[in-house]
Amino acid sequence: MTLSQWRQDARHDWWRGATIYQIYPRSFMDANGDGIGDLPGITARLDHVASLGVDAIWVSPFFTSPMDDFGYDVSDYRGVDPMFGTLDDFRALVDRAHELGLRVIIDQVLSHSSDRHPWFQESRRDRTNARADWYVWADPRPDGNPPNNWMAAFGGRAWTFDARRRQYYLHNFLPSQPDLNFHHPEVQQAQLDNLRFWLDLGVDGFRLDVVNFYFHDRRLEDNPPMSRERIQPGNPQSYQFPQHTISQPENLAFLERLRALLDEYPGATTVGEIAGNDQLPTMAAYTQGDRRLHMAYTFDLLGSTGDATELHDVLARFATLGDGTWPCWALSNHDVERSATRWGEHRALLALTVLCSLRGSLCLYQGEELGLPEAELAYEDLQDPFGINLWPEVKGRDGCRTPMVWEDRSNGGFCPEAVRPWLPVFERHLTLAVARQNADPDSLLARVRELLQLRGGSEVLRQGEQALIEPASLPDDVFGVIRTLGERRLLCLAHLGRAGTARIDLDGLLAGIAGWQPLDLPGMDLPALEGTEWCLEPGQAAWFEPR
C-alpha cells in the first residue's frame, strides 16, 4: 500500500480513543550488537507491539545528537543518529508498521536544540549574523550576573555566559540545550519545515516535547517564589513558579500554525506534553476546538499511586475545563517511576484496567504490558544527567529506561550476552520477559492483550462521554465513572483500597436504570451479588452494563 493509499484509507480521527505504545529506542531492541537499541531493532519487534492491539507507536528521539540528554538535544532535525541506524532504516520501520496496521508518531523537540546544532554555532558567533536572534540571548546585569532568576530543570541557573557574544543564553534544561527564540518568525517557519520533512516521509503524527516551553516572556522578569508546600527540596527549580518561562500566550498562535500544517496531511495527529505546575488549564487551552493540538497529556496521572480520591480529583479538575478538550492519559513514560511500582506490582493489571475505563486516548510505555517494576540502579550505573546532578534526593529517570526484556536469559535478549548494554538489565525483570509470558495463557501480558482488545472493540470506551461518580456515592477507596454513547451505558468501578470488601448498591447511580450486569474482565473475578449490593474486593475492578 502506498503512503497516499494508506492515508486515504485511514480514519482521519483514528486518534480519538486510540491506544499508543511508547518506544524508547535506546532500550527496546539492539539489532547490531553494540548494547544500544536501534531502529532495525524496533522493526524486528513490531510484531509484538501489533499483537497487543494498540493503534500506534510513539518513537522517542532518534535524531542526530551528541546525546547529552539522550536525543532530546538535537543537532540535526532531519537526520538519524548513526547509533540508531539510517534514514532508510526509518523508512523501513514506517513501512513495516503500516503493514501491521500501526501508525507512527515520532517525538519532536522544538523548544531547544543541541549547542552543536549549526543554527546555534552560527548564532553564537557574533551579534550580527543571520541567526543572531534565533536563540534567547540577554546582556548581563551590571554586576555580571544573569539577567534574571530563572532556574534550569537539571539544576543551577537557566543561563550560561558566552564569552564571544558577551551575553548569556537561555537553557531550560542542560547548558548544552539552548532555547530557540520562537518570537522570531524565521525560527517558527524553520521548525514547521522540519515537521513537513517527516510528514512527507510518512509519519502519522508528532509527540511534542514540552510543548508549552516554546515561548518565554520577552521582558525577562523574575519568576515569583513557589508556595512552600509545593517545593521539592532536592530540586532547586521547584523553588520558583515558572510564570515567565513557560505557557506564554504567544504559544497559542504558533500551535494554530502547527495545526494548519498537520491538516494538510489527513489523519496526521499531535499529542503535546504539558509540563510545569498548573498543567490542566494549559492542556485544555491547547486542545480546545480543532485549531490547535489534537490531544495532550500532563503529569497528573504520571505521578498517580492508585489513590481513589486523588484520581477522582484530577479527573474532576479536568472535567471543569470543558467538553472540547481531548486528553491522552498515561500512567508511565520514560521520565517517571514505572506505574507497577507506584500502584504496586500485583496491581499492574488493575492500573491498566482503570486507565482503559477513561475518556480520552491512552499511552502505554514499553514494558508496562509486562508489569515491569522500576529498576534499582547503583550510582555508578546512572546515565541520566538529571539523576547524576541531583543524586541522591532525585534518583533520575534511568530506573524506567532499562532495557526491554524479551527472553529469560542474560541481558534479557535485548543484546548479545557478551555485550554490556548501555544500562544494566534489571535482574528481577527477567522472570517477566516477553517469551516467558507468551508461554503462559494466564500471564499479565495475555490479560493486557485481552483488555486492550476489549477497549478497542468498545465504541463506548473509545468515543463515549464520561461522568465521574462522586466519592460520596461510593464506599471509601472505590473509584467510578459512567461512560455514555447515545443510549449505551457502561459503569466502571475499581476498589483501589488495601483492605475490606466494598459493598455497592448500583440502583440509583444512574436515573432510569434499575439493574446492571457485570462484564467478564480479563484477570478479574466477577463481583459477587449479595441481595441488592455488589461486592468488590481490594484490587478488583468491574465493568457493568444495564440489563
Side-chain angles (χ1 to χ4, degrees):
M1 180 181 288
T2 66
L3 176 59
S4 60
Q5 289 171 329
W6 165 260
R7 285 194 165 134
Q8 184 176 359
D9 291 345
R11 277 180 43 218
H12 295 169
D13 65 346
W14 64 268
W15 51 271
R16 294 183 70 89
T19 301
I20 303 165
Y21 184 91
Q22 183 193 353
I23 294 175
Y24 192 68
R26 292 181 73 95
S27 299
F28 197 64
M29 180 67 198
D30 170 21
N32 65 1
D34 64 357
I36 300 172
D38 45 46
L39 296 181
I42 295 173
T43 304
R45 295 291 188 177
L46 282 179
D47 284 343
H48 166 74
V49 180
S51 77
L52 299 175
V54 301
D55 300 281
I57 58 172
W58 149 28
V59 185
S60 293
F62 51 83
F63 313 109
T64 310
S65 167
M67 297 296 161
D68 289 347
D69 192 21
F70 301 105
Y72 286 89
D73 49 323
V74 180
S75 58
D76 181 356
Y77 283 100
R78 303 188 187 188
V80 173
D81 195 278
M83 75 165 55
F84 295 125
T86 65
L87 207 53
D88 283 339
D89 291 328
F90 179 74
R91 292 189 181 97
L93 187 159
V94 172
D95 289 344
R96 179 57 180 154
H98 286 173
E99 287 173 5
L100 293 168
L102 296 169
R103 292 163 174 89
V104 179
I105 295 171
I106 63 172
D107 244 305
Q108 287 293 304
V109 191
L110 304 184
S111 72
H112 55 271
S113 75
S114 166
D115 61 356
R116 301 188 198 179
H117 195 291
W119 294 347
F120 187 72
Q121 293 296 310
E122 182 177 357
S123 184
R124 77 189 313 180
R125 193 172 61 223
D126 53 51
R127 302 191 189 190
T128 59
N129 66 80
R131 292 191 172 91
D133 297 327
W134 276 41
Y135 291 81
V136 184
W137 296 95
D139 291 330
R141 287 177 172 175
D143 62 0
N145 273 309
N148 58 36
N149 70 344
W150 297 353
M151 301 294 288
F154 295 159
R157 291 295 188 95
W159 298 94
T160 291
F161 188 74
D162 184 89
R164 279 164 287 188
R165 287 190 50 144
R166 300 178 185 178
Q167 288 181 303
Y168 284 92
Y169 66 85
L170 176 67
H171 51 87
N172 275 297
F173 300 95
L174 293 171
S176 58
Q177 293 171 289
D179 273 55
L180 283 152
N181 178 18
F182 269 75
H183 291 288
H184 198 309
E186 291 180 7
V187 170
Q188 295 185 33
Q189 189 57 53
Q191 291 293 41
L192 292 174
D193 291 344
N194 286 329
L195 296 183
R196 186 182 294 278
F197 171 83
W198 293 104
L199 288 165
D200 287 340
L201 280 182
V203 304
D204 301 289
F206 303 109
R207 180 266 186 184
L208 299 164
D209 187 62
V210 290
V211 71
N212 55 326
F213 274 64
Y214 295 162
F215 287 82
H216 65 286
D217 180 357
R218 289 179 189 258
R219 297 167 299 177
L220 303 182
E221 294 189 8
D222 281 355
N223 280 329
M226 181 65 74
S227 57
R228 182 179 298 274
E229 66 274 8
R230 301 181 69 176
I231 291 175
Q232 304 167 27
N235 182 1
Q237 190 186 47
S238 72
Y239 283 73
Q240 58 183 228
F241 186 82
Q243 178 177 337
H244 300 291
T245 42
I246 65 174
S247 301
Q248 300 302 298
E250 297 93 335
N251 216 32
L252 294 175
F254 176 71
L255 294 183
E256 291 177 3
R257 292 191 67 193
L258 192 155
R259 178 62 178 263
L261 169 63
L262 270 288
D263 287 346
E264 296 180 30
Y265 297 81
T269 192
T270 51
V271 54
E273 176 196 35
I274 309 295
N277 298 100
D278 199 12
Q279 298 170 8
L280 288 176
T282 303
M283 179 180 179
Y286 282 20
T287 60
Q288 190 75 44
D290 59 2
R291 298 178 57 197
R292 297 169 186 168
L293 299 180
H294 298 80
M295 48 187 166
Y297 73 88
T298 73
F299 283 76
D300 291 85
L301 293 189
L302 287 168
S304 167
T305 59
D307 178 83
T309 301
E310 175 190 80
L311 185 60
H312 172 273
D313 289 349
V314 168
L315 296 171
R317 290 199 305 273
F318 181 77
T320 65
L321 302 175
D323 294 332
T325 63
W326 193 262
C328 183
W329 298 115
L331 297 176
S332 292
N333 72 8
H334 64 290
D335 281 333
V336 300
E337 184 179 54
R338 285 186 173 272
S339 61
T341 294
R342 299 194 323 269
W343 281 61
E345 293 178 40
H346 63 293
R347 292 181 165 224
L349 181 61
L350 174 67
L352 293 180
T353 303
V354 170
L355 184 67
C356 283
S357 73
L358 302 181
R359 175 183 181 268
S361 301
L362 312 180
C363 193
L364 300 185
Y365 179 51
Q366 65 184 49
E368 204 168 359
E369 74 276 20
L370 305 177
L372 298 186
E374 185 82 353
E376 299 171 8
L377 300 175
Y379 177 78
E380 54 268 22
D381 290 324
L382 296 184
Q383 301 287 334
D384 180 18
F386 186 45
I388 293 171
N389 291 347
L390 300 179
W391 179 273
E393 283 75 15
V394 177
K395 65 178 183 177
R397 302 165 294 182
D398 288 324
C400 65
R401 297 179 176 183
T402 56
M404 186 76 169
V405 283
W406 300 101
E407 301 169 14
D408 185 6
R409 60 182 175 88
S410 179
N411 286 340
F414 165 75
C415 65
E417 295 187 20
V419 172
R420 181 177 181 178
W422 79 283
L423 279 175
V425 173
F426 190 37
E427 188 72 22
R428 286 184 51 216
H429 285 179
L430 295 179
T431 60
L432 301 172
V434 172
R436 188 159 176 171
Q437 294 202 41
N438 272 337
D440 180 3
D442 295 322
S443 67
L444 176 66
L445 176 57
R447 300 307 188 206
V448 171
R449 287 190 177 113
E450 295 170 9
L451 177 65
L452 294 180
Q453 182 179 13
L454 185 60
R455 156 96 182 187
S458 171
E459 286 301 306
V460 177
L461 289 173
R462 288 178 67 104
Q463 302 290 335
E465 297 301 317
Q466 174 173 289
L468 289 171
I469 302 175
E470 290 300 318
S473 300
L474 296 170
D476 290 345
D477 299 322
V478 174
F479 169 78
V481 296
I482 298 173
R483 304 297 310 281
T484 305
L485 185 65
E487 297 300 316
R488 287 174 283 175
R489 305 285 187 272
L490 187 65
L491 170 62
C492 306
L493 300 174
H495 187 345
L496 303 182
R498 303 289 172 172
T501 299
R503 301 178 185 276
I504 311 164
D505 188 342
L506 301 183
D507 292 342
L509 278 181
L510 194 62
I513 297 179
W516 298 85
Q517 59 186 6
L519 301 182
D520 190 7
L521 281 180
M524 297 286 173
D525 293 332
L526 287 173
L529 180 62
E530 296 183 2
T532 62
E533 295 180 327
W534 292 95
C535 300
L536 286 184
E537 301 302 325
Q540 185 178 10
W543 292 353
F544 297 85
E545 289 181 328
R547 285 201 176 99

